[in-house]
Amino acid sequence: MLARALRPVSLALLVSAAPACVTHSSTPMTGKVEVPLADRRIGQYISSGWSFDTSSFWIEGPEGVVVIDVQFLPSVAAEVIAAAERVTRKKVAAAIVLHANPDKFNGTATFQARGIEVWTAEQVVAAIPEVFARRTEAFAERYAPDWPSAVPQPQSFGATTTTLKLAGLELKAHVLGPGCSAAHVVIEWEDHVFVGDLVTNKAHAWLEIGETEAWLQRLSEIEAMKPRHVHPGRGRSAGPELLAAQREYLQTVIDLVKAETPTTPPEPAAVLRVRAELERKYAGYRFPVFLEIGLPAVWRRLAQANAPASASANEGDQPAGSNPTSQP
């Protein structure tokens, strides 16, 4: 299994056999670099907790390197480029953003400033400005000056599933509907899938928009690709068991909330009971803080699904994710 093959790798060891022939070689690393020994064409950069343990991946092609997801902070985006180029001794030729969360798109301008094209689906491009505005309000002061000065603007490859030919690779970009974000891109390459935060490994899910039922459908769509290797937005890569684990987690969230017979507005004590049970059942999962916004959003979504149509239009709750102060 790929999970057994993934080990932390010393960057110095990886490049000691020959001098690097790419730029950015002096960039320091604040996160971790990992290379799956089962397939040295793929690498993973995991940021520090300061930027939410976010993963970026790269795929080495015959004509360069493609990076998947461009990180939460511009400084960390530069580290991803440096890590990929040091390990592969090839230039990063392109990058792909998988969905409209800032830990996936904030580093866009850092890549573009180096002449690297950044691509995503039309639906993701459309969602970025509103998401970026909310996160800037919450985070810009905290992370200053390490925060984008303008709305990130990746290029659109279109609104439907397509094959991207980048760096001598053919990557199938599946355009999917809502899950943890309003729209998603999943990259399929050989028997690998790169799925962003639709899947995590030992971390709580980003439930901000409350779309758990739609998210389960996204997992079914990924399972239909029959991947052998799944590369998640947080945590180490593994096999299709990650998809099964994510499905079980989301179904548990749904079942726990439904057991409270949700109505709007969310009942704080009941939400806390659900959170406590999730933290008990998934002890050791990182970022339980994500549940602060996520569980009320799921609660509202399920309550509205069960409410009479006339009642749901009159509720005065804030929209899901309206005040994200601790989450990407």
Side-chain angles (χ1 to χ4, degrees):
M1 296 299 296
L2 185 59
R4 298 191 188 99
L6 269 169
R7 297 290 186 272
V9 178
S10 165
L11 201 57
L13 180 62
L14 286 167
V15 300
S16 60
C21 58
V22 295
T23 57
H24 320 305
S25 60
S26 63
T27 303
M29 296 291 131
T30 61
K32 296 181 291 185
V33 177
E34 301 192 353
V35 177
L37 302 181
D39 193 335
R40 294 293 294 273
R41 296 173 296 173
I42 294 173
Q44 180 180 15
Y45 181 96
I46 304 173
S47 74
S48 71
W50 177 237
S51 49
F52 302 101
D53 292 357
T54 299
S55 288
S56 292
F57 293 91
W58 65 79
I59 308 171
E60 180 183 350
E63 300 170 12
V65 179
V66 177
V67 169
I68 310 293
D69 284 331
V70 298
Q71 283 289 331
F72 184 68
L73 298 175
S75 65
V76 181
E79 294 183 24
V80 172
I81 297 167
E85 293 186 343
R86 290 184 201 177
V87 171
T88 65
R89 300 187 183 88
K90 294 180 179 179
K91 296 290 291 182
V92 174
I96 300 168
V97 170
L98 297 184
H99 54 86
N101 277 41
D103 55 331
K104 311 307 175 196
F105 64 65
N106 265 1
T108 296
T110 300
F111 279 72
Q112 292 168 332
R114 290 162 168 78
I116 301 167
E117 296 180 342
V118 182
W119 295 95
T120 191
E122 179 180 311
Q123 295 91 325
V124 176
V125 172
I128 285 174
E130 187 271 336
V131 174
F132 180 71
R134 286 192 283 115
R135 296 304 191 272
T136 296
E137 183 178 356
F139 284 128
E141 183 176 356
R142 182 187 309 180
Y143 285 94
D146 198 6
W147 187 260
S149 58
V151 178
Q153 295 183 320
Q155 295 176 258
S156 168
F157 59 71
T160 58
T161 296
T162 189
T163 297
L164 301 175
K165 296 183 178 181
L166 302 169
L169 299 164
E170 292 194 359
L171 308 173
K172 191 166 186 180
H174 296 266
V175 180
L176 306 182
C180 62
S181 295
H184 293 267
V185 176
V186 169
I187 295 297
E188 181 184 12
W189 175 66
E190 297 184 355
D191 54 4
H192 300 262
V193 289
F194 300 82
V195 297
D197 293 338
L198 285 169
V199 178
T200 65
N201 189 348
K202 303 297 183 183
H204 285 281
W206 178 242
L207 301 163
E208 178 194 16
I209 63 174
E211 289 276 13
T212 46
E213 298 285 358
W215 195 331
L216 291 173
Q217 179 60 33
R218 303 290 81 79
L219 295 178
S220 295
E221 291 161 352
I222 298 168
E223 288 164 345
M225 301 172 199
K226 301 187 182 305
R228 292 183 59 200
H229 308 295
V230 178
H231 304 284
R234 286 185 178 80
R236 292 191 173 94
S237 303
E241 68 274 9
L242 287 184
L243 299 172
Q246 191 69 46
R247 179 179 295 281
E248 191 271 341
Y249 176 98
L250 292 173
Q251 192 60 57
T252 298
V253 172
I254 292 168
D255 292 344
L256 288 173
V257 173
K258 283 186 174 180
E260 296 286 349
T261 316
T263 58
T264 53
E267 201 279 300
V271 173
L272 286 175
R273 285 195 297 270
V274 173
R275 176 173 177 171
E277 179 58 19
L278 284 170
E279 292 193 49
R280 183 200 66 78
K281 182 175 177 63
Y282 299 102
Y285 272 36
R286 289 160 296 143
F287 299 109
V289 69
F290 289 179
L291 299 174
E292 289 183 7
I293 286 175
L295 288 180
V298 174
W299 184 287
R300 282 187 286 266
R301 183 74 62 178
L302 293 176
Q304 290 167 1
N306 295 327
S310 60
S312 62
N314 295 319
E315 300 294 346
D317 292 332
Q318 291 181 324
S322 60
N323 185 30
T325 57
S326 304
Q327 295 83 10

PDB file of all heavy atoms in Angstrom, residues 26-48:
ATOM      1  N   SER A  26      17.528  28.125  -2.320  1.00  0.00           N
ATOM      2  CA  SER A  26      17.846  28.571  -0.965  1.00  0.00           C
ATOM      3  C   SER A  26      16.602  28.765  -0.096  1.00  0.00           C
ATOM      4  O   SER A  26      16.716  29.144   1.059  1.00  0.00           O
ATOM      5  CB  SER A  26      18.634  29.892  -1.027  1.00  0.00           C
ATOM      6  OG  SER A  26      17.830  30.908  -1.609  1.00  0.00           O
ATOM      7  N   THR A  27      15.415  28.510  -0.639  1.00  0.00           N
ATOM      8  CA  THR A  27      14.198  28.716   0.131  1.00  0.00           C
ATOM      9  C   THR A  27      14.155  27.758   1.312  1.00  0.00           C
ATOM     10  O   THR A  27      14.280  26.541   1.132  1.00  0.00           O
ATOM     11  CB  THR A  27      12.954  28.484  -0.753  1.00  0.00           C
ATOM     12  OG1 THR A  27      13.027  29.369  -1.868  1.00  0.00           O
ATOM     13  CG2 THR A  27      11.670  28.728   0.029  1.00  0.00           C
ATOM     14  N   PRO A  28      13.967  28.258   2.545  1.00  0.00           N
ATOM     15  CA  PRO A  28      13.900  27.359   3.701  1.00  0.00           C
ATOM     16  C   PRO A  28      12.572  26.619   3.734  1.00  0.00           C
ATOM     17  O   PRO A  28      11.589  27.041   3.120  1.00  0.00           O
ATOM     18  CB  PRO A  28      14.034  28.314   4.891  1.00  0.00           C
ATOM     19  CG  PRO A  28      13.446  29.591   4.383  1.00  0.00           C
ATOM     20  CD  PRO A  28      13.821  29.665   2.921  1.00  0.00           C
ATOM     21  N   MET A  29      12.528  25.514   4.468  1.00  0.00           N
ATOM     22  CA  MET A  29      11.316  24.718   4.581  1.00  0.00           C
ATOM     23  C   MET A  29      10.763  24.816   6.001  1.00  0.00           C
ATOM     24  O   MET A  29      11.451  24.482   6.965  1.00  0.00           O
ATOM     25  CB  MET A  29      11.600  23.247   4.268  1.00  0.00           C
ATOM     26  CG  MET A  29      12.044  22.986   2.844  1.00  0.00           C
ATOM     27  SD  MET A  29      10.723  23.253   1.638  1.00  0.00           S
ATOM     28  CE  MET A  29      11.594  24.274   0.455  1.00  0.00           C
ATOM     29  N   THR A  30       9.524  25.274   6.133  1.00  0.00           N
ATOM     30  CA  THR A  30       8.873  25.281   7.441  1.00  0.00           C
ATOM     31  C   THR A  30       7.945  24.086   7.606  1.00  0.00           C
ATOM     32  O   THR A  30       7.501  23.789   8.711  1.00  0.00           O
ATOM     33  CB  THR A  30       8.045  26.564   7.633  1.00  0.00           C
ATOM     34  OG1 THR A  30       7.019  26.632   6.633  1.00  0.00           O
ATOM     35  CG2 THR A  30       8.926  27.797   7.525  1.00  0.00           C
ATOM     36  N   GLY A  31       7.636  23.396   6.513  1.00  0.00           N
ATOM     37  CA  GLY A  31       6.790  22.218   6.570  1.00  0.00           C
ATOM     38  C   GLY A  31       7.606  20.965   6.332  1.00  0.00           C
ATOM     39  O   GLY A  31       8.823  20.941   6.507  1.00  0.00           O
ATOM     40  N   LYS A  32       6.921  19.896   5.914  1.00  0.00           N
ATOM     41  CA  LYS A  32       7.564  18.600   5.692  1.00  0.00           C
ATOM     42  C   LYS A  32       7.438  18.218   4.227  1.00  0.00           C
ATOM     43  O   LYS A  32       6.433  18.468   3.587  1.00  0.00           O
ATOM     44  CB  LYS A  32       6.895  17.518   6.546  1.00  0.00           C
ATOM     45  CG  LYS A  32       7.046  17.725   8.043  1.00  0.00           C
ATOM     46  CD  LYS A  32       6.369  16.594   8.816  1.00  0.00           C
ATOM     47  CE  LYS A  32       4.858  16.649   8.672  1.00  0.00           C
ATOM     48  NZ  LYS A  32       4.174  15.625   9.515  1.00  0.00           N
ATOM     49  N   VAL A  33       8.480  17.569   3.734  1.00  0.00           N
ATOM     50  CA  VAL A  33       8.485  17.062   2.373  1.00  0.00           C
ATOM     51  C   VAL A  33       8.511  15.547   2.441  1.00  0.00           C
ATOM     52  O   VAL A  33       9.330  14.960   3.159  1.00  0.00           O
ATOM     53  CB  VAL A  33       9.709  17.573   1.588  1.00  0.00           C
ATOM     54  CG1 VAL A  33       9.744  16.962   0.187  1.00  0.00           C
ATOM     55  CG2 VAL A  33       9.680  19.090   1.505  1.00  0.00           C
ATOM     56  N   GLU A  34       7.616  14.907   1.706  1.00  0.00           N
ATOM     57  CA  GLU A  34       7.560  13.452   1.685  1.00  0.00           C
ATOM     58  C   GLU A  34       7.486  12.969   0.249  1.00  0.00           C
ATOM     59  O   GLU A  34       6.884  13.624  -0.610  1.00  0.00           O
ATOM     60  CB  GLU A  34       6.360  12.938   2.484  1.00  0.00           C
ATOM     61  CG  GLU A  34       6.404  13.384   3.944  1.00  0.00           C
ATOM     62  CD  GLU A  34       5.405  12.660   4.808  1.00  0.00           C
ATOM     63  OE1 GLU A  34       4.581  11.904   4.258  1.00  0.00           O
ATOM     64  OE2 GLU A  34       5.461  12.827   6.033  1.00  0.00           O
ATOM     65  N   VAL A  35       8.107  11.844  -0.004  1.00  0.00           N
ATOM     66  CA  VAL A  35       8.088  11.234  -1.329  1.00  0.00           C
ATOM     67  C   VAL A  35       7.701   9.772  -1.156  1.00  0.00           C
ATOM     68  O   VAL A  35       8.345   9.052  -0.398  1.00  0.00           O
ATOM     69  CB  VAL A  35       9.462  11.335  -2.018  1.00  0.00           C
ATOM     70  CG1 VAL A  35       9.428  10.628  -3.379  1.00  0.00           C
ATOM     71  CG2 VAL A  35       9.876  12.785  -2.184  1.00  0.00           C
ATOM     72  N   PRO A  36       6.629   9.322  -1.822  1.00  0.00           N
ATOM     73  CA  PRO A  36       6.261   7.907  -1.724  1.00  0.00           C
ATOM     74  C   PRO A  36       7.248   7.043  -2.487  1.00  0.00           C
ATOM     75  O   PRO A  36       7.417   7.205  -3.694  1.00  0.00           O
ATOM     76  CB  PRO A  36       4.859   7.854  -2.359  1.00  0.00           C
ATOM     77  CG  PRO A  36       4.819   9.034  -3.256  1.00  0.00           C
ATOM     78  CD  PRO A  36       5.714  10.080  -2.654  1.00  0.00           C
ATOM     79  N   LEU A  37       7.891   6.158  -1.783  1.00  0.00           N
ATOM     80  CA  LEU A  37       8.920   5.352  -2.416  1.00  0.00           C
ATOM     81  C   LEU A  37       8.337   4.430  -3.479  1.00  0.00           C
ATOM     82  O   LEU A  37       9.046   3.964  -4.361  1.00  0.00           O
ATOM     83  CB  LEU A  37       9.657   4.538  -1.348  1.00  0.00           C
ATOM     84  CG  LEU A  37      10.321   5.387  -0.244  1.00  0.00           C
ATOM     85  CD1 LEU A  37      11.047   4.484   0.741  1.00  0.00           C
ATOM     86  CD2 LEU A  37      11.270   6.406  -0.834  1.00  0.00           C
ATOM     87  N   ALA A  38       7.022   4.154  -3.423  1.00  0.00           N
ATOM     88  CA  ALA A  38       6.387   3.309  -4.424  1.00  0.00           C
ATOM     89  C   ALA A  38       6.291   3.998  -5.778  1.00  0.00           C
ATOM     90  O   ALA A  38       6.197   3.338  -6.800  1.00  0.00           O
ATOM     91  CB  ALA A  38       4.992   2.886  -3.954  1.00  0.00           C
ATOM     92  N   ASP A  39       6.304   5.310  -5.791  1.00  0.00           N
ATOM     93  CA  ASP A  39       6.214   6.060  -7.049  1.00  0.00           C
ATOM     94  C   ASP A  39       6.910   7.384  -6.848  1.00  0.00           C
ATOM     95  O   ASP A  39       6.323   8.348  -6.368  1.00  0.00           O
ATOM     96  CB  ASP A  39       4.763   6.267  -7.475  1.00  0.00           C
ATOM     97  CG  ASP A  39       4.650   6.753  -8.926  1.00  0.00           C
ATOM     98  OD1 ASP A  39       5.623   7.358  -9.421  1.00  0.00           O
ATOM     99  OD2 ASP A  39       3.606   6.511  -9.547  1.00  0.00           O
ATOM    100  N   ARG A  40       8.167   7.449  -7.238  1.00  0.00           N
ATOM    101  CA  ARG A  40       8.968   8.638  -6.980  1.00  0.00           C
ATOM    102  C   ARG A  40       8.561   9.813  -7.856  1.00  0.00           C
ATOM    103  O   ARG A  40       9.098  10.914  -7.706  1.00  0.00           O
ATOM    104  CB  ARG A  40      10.454   8.309  -7.189  1.00  0.00           C
ATOM    105  CG  ARG A  40      11.024   7.322  -6.186  1.00  0.00           C
ATOM    106  CD  ARG A  40      11.081   7.915  -4.787  1.00  0.00           C
ATOM    107  NE  ARG A  40      12.017   9.011  -4.706  1.00  0.00           N
ATOM    108  CZ  ARG A  40      13.322   8.859  -4.453  1.00  0.00           C
ATOM    109  NH1 ARG A  40      13.825   7.656  -4.273  1.00  0.00           N
ATOM    110  NH2 ARG A  40      14.104   9.909  -4.374  1.00  0.00           N
ATOM    111  N   ARG A  41       7.626   9.612  -8.759  1.00  0.00           N
ATOM    112  CA  ARG A  41       7.144  10.726  -9.575  1.00  0.00           C
ATOM    113  C   ARG A  41       6.219  11.648  -8.793  1.00  0.00           C
ATOM    114  O   ARG A  41       5.918  12.753  -9.236  1.00  0.00           O
ATOM    115  CB  ARG A  41       6.417  10.190 -10.810  1.00  0.00           C
ATOM    116  CG  ARG A  41       7.283   9.398 -11.762  1.00  0.00           C
ATOM    117  CD  ARG A  41       6.435   8.763 -12.861  1.00  0.00           C
ATOM    118  NE  ARG A  41       5.500   7.793 -12.311  1.00  0.00           N
ATOM    119  CZ  ARG A  41       4.545   7.184 -13.019  1.00  0.00           C
ATOM    120  NH1 ARG A  41       4.406   7.463 -14.310  1.00  0.00           N
ATOM    121  NH2 ARG A  41       3.733   6.304 -12.457  1.00  0.00           N
ATOM    122  N   ILE A  42       5.756  11.201  -7.635  1.00  0.00           N
ATOM    123  CA  ILE A  42       4.812  11.974  -6.825  1.00  0.00           C
ATOM    124  C   ILE A  42       5.498  12.408  -5.538  1.00  0.00           C
ATOM    125  O   ILE A  42       6.202  11.626  -4.897  1.00  0.00           O
ATOM    126  CB  ILE A  42       3.563  11.140  -6.496  1.00  0.00           C
ATOM    127  CG1 ILE A  42       2.786  10.846  -7.773  1.00  0.00           C
ATOM    128  CG2 ILE A  42       2.669  11.854  -5.486  1.00  0.00           C
ATOM    129  CD1 ILE A  42       1.632   9.902  -7.578  1.00  0.00           C
ATOM    130  N   GLY A  43       5.294  13.660  -5.172  1.00  0.00           N
ATOM    131  CA  GLY A  43       5.788  14.164  -3.895  1.00  0.00           C
ATOM    132  C   GLY A  43       4.684  14.910  -3.166  1.00  0.00           C
ATOM    133  O   GLY A  43       3.680  15.303  -3.755  1.00  0.00           O
ATOM    134  N   GLN A  44       4.911  15.114  -1.883  1.00  0.00           N
ATOM    135  CA  GLN A  44       3.920  15.778  -1.037  1.00  0.00           C
ATOM    136  C   GLN A  44       4.624  16.781  -0.140  1.00  0.00           C
ATOM    137  O   GLN A  44       5.648  16.468   0.464  1.00  0.00           O
ATOM    138  CB  GLN A  44       3.171  14.752  -0.184  1.00  0.00           C
ATOM    139  CG  GLN A  44       2.107  15.339   0.734  1.00  0.00           C
ATOM    140  CD  GLN A  44       1.398  14.266   1.564  1.00  0.00           C
ATOM    141  OE1 GLN A  44       1.878  13.131   1.667  1.00  0.00           O
ATOM    142  NE2 GLN A  44       0.276  14.612   2.167  1.00  0.00           N
ATOM    143  N   TYR A  45       4.071  17.977  -0.072  1.00  0.00           N
ATOM    144  CA  TYR A  45       4.524  18.985   0.883  1.00  0.00           C
ATOM    145  C   TYR A  45       3.393  19.197   1.881  1.00  0.00           C
ATOM    146  O   TYR A  45       2.248  19.454   1.488  1.00  0.00           O
ATOM    147  CB  TYR A  45       4.856  20.308   0.188  1.00  0.00           C
ATOM    148  CG  TYR A  45       5.339  21.358   1.148  1.00  0.00           C
ATOM    149  CD1 TYR A  45       6.699  21.570   1.349  1.00  0.00           C
ATOM    150  CD2 TYR A  45       4.445  22.117   1.899  1.00  0.00           C
ATOM    151  CE1 TYR A  45       7.149  22.518   2.264  1.00  0.00           C
ATOM    152  CE2 TYR A  45       4.884  23.051   2.810  1.00  0.00           C
ATOM    153  CZ  TYR A  45       6.230  23.243   2.992  1.00  0.00           C
ATOM    154  OH  TYR A  45       6.663  24.170   3.903  1.00  0.00           O
ATOM    155  N   ILE A  46       3.695  19.095   3.173  1.00  0.00           N
ATOM    156  CA  ILE A  46       2.710  19.296   4.236  1.00  0.00           C
ATOM    157  C   ILE A  46       3.128  20.523   5.037  1.00  0.00           C
ATOM    158  O   ILE A  46       4.211  20.547   5.628  1.00  0.00           O
ATOM    159  CB  ILE A  46       2.617  18.073   5.160  1.00  0.00           C
ATOM    160  CG1 ILE A  46       2.295  16.815   4.352  1.00  0.00           C
ATOM    161  CG2 ILE A  46       1.545  18.297   6.229  1.00  0.00           C
ATOM    162  CD1 ILE A  46       2.350  15.530   5.174  1.00  0.00           C
ATOM    163  N   SER A  47       2.283  21.538   5.036  1.00  0.00           N
ATOM    164  CA  SER A  47       2.627  22.777   5.743  1.00  0.00           C
ATOM    165  C   SER A  47       2.577  22.567   7.246  1.00  0.00           C
ATOM    166  O   SER A  47       2.094  21.543   7.748  1.00  0.00           O
ATOM    167  CB  SER A  47       1.657  23.893   5.347  1.00  0.00           C
ATOM    168  OG  SER A  47       0.383  23.695   5.944  1.00  0.00           O
ATOM    169  N   SER A  48       3.037  23.554   7.986  1.00  0.00           N
ATOM    170  CA  SER A  48       2.980  23.506   9.446  1.00  0.00           C
ATOM    171  C   SER A  48       1.550  23.754   9.927  1.00  0.00           C
ATOM    172  O   SER A  48       0.674  24.143   9.161  1.00  0.00           O
ATOM    173  CB  SER A  48       3.914  24.562  10.041  1.00  0.00           C
ATOM    174  OG  SER A  48       3.377  25.858   9.806  1.00  0.00           O
TER     175      SER A  48
END
